[in-house]
Amino acid sequence: MNQLLLPLLLMLVVAIPLVMGTRKQKKAAAAQQELLSSLAPGDRVMTTSGLYASVADASADTTIDLEIAPGVVTTWLRQAVREKVEPVVETDEDTIDDEAVVEEPAIESKDDERVEEKSGAQVAPPLEHGKK
């Protein structure tokens, strides 16, 4: 009996993570399948290649039409859709008044630091090559 206990424990140590891993994979596959079947026109999605688009037509079984720009519709495999994303909402913070932001140029005049010329370009001080 004692001789069978060690191999049985080793099998359990190996089998339990394998079973748990396959359960996790099955849940992820089911969630992805549910996402693909729930896509409807107007949904905002991201593809596996990182392209953001809006669903234009989802009536086909294996393909889906995505609008990547206004008036530009492309056909993709459904499996290329990675996830649904929230639509982009433009806020007032995104638009900044150009006149509100004024920066004063800094002028420094030390010999060993960078010096700003009148044109606004930064120039490094000249290098000194001395003989030893």
Side-chain angles (χ1 to χ4, degrees):
M1 179 75 181
N2 223 2
Q3 295 173 349
L4 294 176
L5 187 61
L6 184 62
L8 184 62
L9 286 174
L10 287 174
M11 288 178 56
L12 285 175
V13 168
V14 171
I16 290 175
L18 287 175
V19 170
M20 298 302 283
T22 57
R23 288 185 62 207
K24 186 183 250 186
Q25 284 180 340
K26 284 182 183 180
K27 285 182 182 180
Q32 182 68 15
Q33 188 62 36
E34 182 179 333
L35 167 75
L36 295 177
S37 63
S38 70
L39 292 175
D43 288 343
R44 186 102 172 121
V45 296
M46 182 178 73
T47 64
T48 54
S49 61
L51 179 77
Y52 290 92
S54 296
V55 177
D57 182 27
S59 61
D61 290 336
T62 59
T63 60
I64 189 167
D65 290 339
L66 299 177
E67 184 176 17
I68 57 175
V72 180
V73 178
T74 58
T75 302
W76 293 69
L77 286 175
R78 277 189 182 267
Q79 287 79 15
V81 175
R82 181 178 188 173
E83 62 185 83
K84 276 188 188 180
V85 293
E86 296 297 320
V88 177
V89 179
E90 188 171 322
T91 61
D92 291 336
E93 295 173 1
D94 293 340
T95 58
I96 298 174
D97 187 14
D98 292 334
E99 295 176 6
V101 179
V102 177
E103 293 183 18
E104 294 291 327
I107 299 175
E108 296 185 23
S109 61
K110 292 185 180 177
D111 290 339
D112 58 349
E113 295 180 347
R114 292 183 175 238
V115 180
E116 186 173 319
E117 294 182 339
K118 292 180 182 179
S119 66
Q122 298 231 346
V123 178
L127 297 175
E128 297 179 18
H129 296 285
K131 294 182 181 178
K132 290 185 181 181

